[in-house]
Amino acid sequence: ETLSLLFVPPAEGGGMEIFMEKILPISIPPAETYQQTAFLMGIIQNNENVQALIYNSYINVSITKDEFWEWRFEFTNVACEDFRKRGVGEMDLFYLNNISKDKCVDFLKERIDQNNFLLMFKIDEYEISYSEHYHNKHFEHDTYIFGYNDKIFYVMAYTDGHLRLMGVKQEEIIESLYNHQHYFGNTHFCSFRIHHCAREVIQLDEILSEINEYLKGYVEGNEKFFGVKTYNVIQEVLSYTKESNGGIELSTKVFRSLWEHKKVMNIRNHYLGLKIEGLKQINSEIDTVVKTGHMIFMLTIKYNLKRDIFILDKISKYLQEMKEAEKRYLLQFQRIVEVFLEDERESYRVEEKR
């Protein structure tokens, strides 16, 4: 993290002004669709002690309907609570009704000074100038804070359809919190930081186990689908969208998340390929899967604009092709890594005999 003091020369007759700034390390991650997942991923990829989580985790996925009856496609076991249980993260929960409004800025800064990122689960975007709802509509949403200076909080949030790192006036954050408490109630937020003792290394056995779970796929309560079974649900979504004759819009979030899942696979393969020679030979195969995922995502945007049901047929065709190509790639990945691990064990046994 960075903590800096900026000394500003005084105006004539005035004293020296001091500005303080603290920014915790974060960057935009490869998976941007859901803000909380993106925020945590952005933290992890910038912490050398736990970066390996990007490769060990973010493998299995699920699809289900959320409280608004919208389909949600996301990575499994990578929420802040999952990292807390794993011993990677430390968390504290705070309720706004226990914090006086005039002391809230200092309270948030104190948390950041202790290297805590802040997960603001519920704010009223009526007070947030980067939002389309600014001074227009009371809208419950989330935002995520990673730093401050004397005038602003630095946040990761969506604006104009893109996830960005930006500064927001401190008073906007405070008003958005207390407005939420007034209009919606039960406003709370959470601090999160990487545990100072946390250390993660590449765990090839764990990666293989997660890939195996993904390839098997399973269903919970006939409403939450995991692994490759998510493809079946997406095909069903395409079918009933087609039956509506263009009357239903496709969720671009689902298809962007699907593409991002393949992007993370690609990052994992290229990284591990630096050590496992055989994985370099299949870089092109996962590259192709990623390109197909991106093409499908772009076609969903095109469909929503034109409502041409023939585009749905294209999406369905490419989706099936991507599923088959992905399975071929993952089976090769498993075989290559298993051979590598067996060679490593054999080398260890030989060393022991010596």
Side-chain angles (χ1 to χ4, degrees), residues 97-131:
N97 55 15
N98 294 327
I99 306 168
S100 63
K101 189 174 181 179
D102 62 328
K103 295 181 179 176
C104 192
V105 167
D106 288 337
F107 184 86
L108 298 182
K109 285 182 177 180
E110 284 171 11
R111 309 282 81 72
I112 297 167
D113 286 340
Q114 295 164 7
N115 297 324
N116 287 294
F117 296 84
L118 299 175
L119 291 75
M120 320 307 280
F121 300 120
K122 302 286 178 71
I123 62 168
D124 182 2
E125 287 201 348
Y126 180 87
E127 299 292 347
I128 300 294
S129 56
Y130 66 71
S131 170

Side-chain angles (χ1 to χ4, degrees), residues 135-147:
H135 289 175
N136 179 43
K137 177 185 176 183
H138 293 289
F139 185 79
E140 187 179 58
H141 208 243
D142 51 351
T143 199
Y144 299 88
I145 301 176
F146 62 91

Side-chain angles (χ1 to χ4, degrees), residues 40 53 77-91 192-193 195 198 200:
L40 294 171
L53 278 172
N77 302 319
V78 291
C80 49
E81 180 66 8
D82 296 311
F83 292 129
R84 185 192 68 79
K85 289 178 181 177
R86 188 167 175 150
V88 170
E90 297 179 301
M91 298 169 58
F192 179 88
R193 66 183 176 190
H195 194 286
E200 290 285 329

Side-chain angles (χ1 to χ4, degrees), residues 162-189:
H162 295 282
L163 191 65
R164 303 186 192 279
L165 305 176
M166 55 191 158
V168 179
K169 291 178 182 177
Q170 290 174 3
E171 54 266 31
E172 290 183 19
I173 294 294
I174 302 306
E175 291 301 323
S176 72
L177 285 167
Y178 285 89
N179 244 28
H180 182 277
Q181 178 76 0
H182 176 74
Y183 288 102
F184 302 97
N186 194 34
T187 305
H188 58 279
F189 60 93

Side-chain angles (χ1 to χ4, degrees), residues 270-312:
H270 281 258
Y271 179 79
L272 296 179
L274 297 174
K275 183 176 182 182
I276 304 173
E277 185 65 30
L279 292 180
K280 287 183 183 178
Q281 310 308 316
I282 57 173
N283 275 341
S284 60
E285 296 191 29
I286 186 58
D287 289 345
T288 300
V289 172
V290 174
K291 288 174 186 174
T292 305
H294 182 253
M295 180 170 58
I296 290 170
F297 170 54
M298 298 307 292
L299 282 170
T300 64
I301 296 172
K302 186 176 180 180
Y303 164 77
N304 285 342
L305 290 171
K306 296 193 171 185
R307 299 303 175 96
D308 180 352
I309 61 172
F310 293 108
I311 296 174
L312 298 174

Side-chain angles (χ1 to χ4, degrees), residues 2 10 53 105 158-159 166 202 210 225 245 267 270 290 322:
T2 62
L53 278 172
V105 167
Y158 266 98
T159 183
M166 55 191 158
I202 296 296
E210 282 289 300
F225 300 79
N245 202 28
I267 290 167
H270 281 258
V290 174
M322 184 169 75

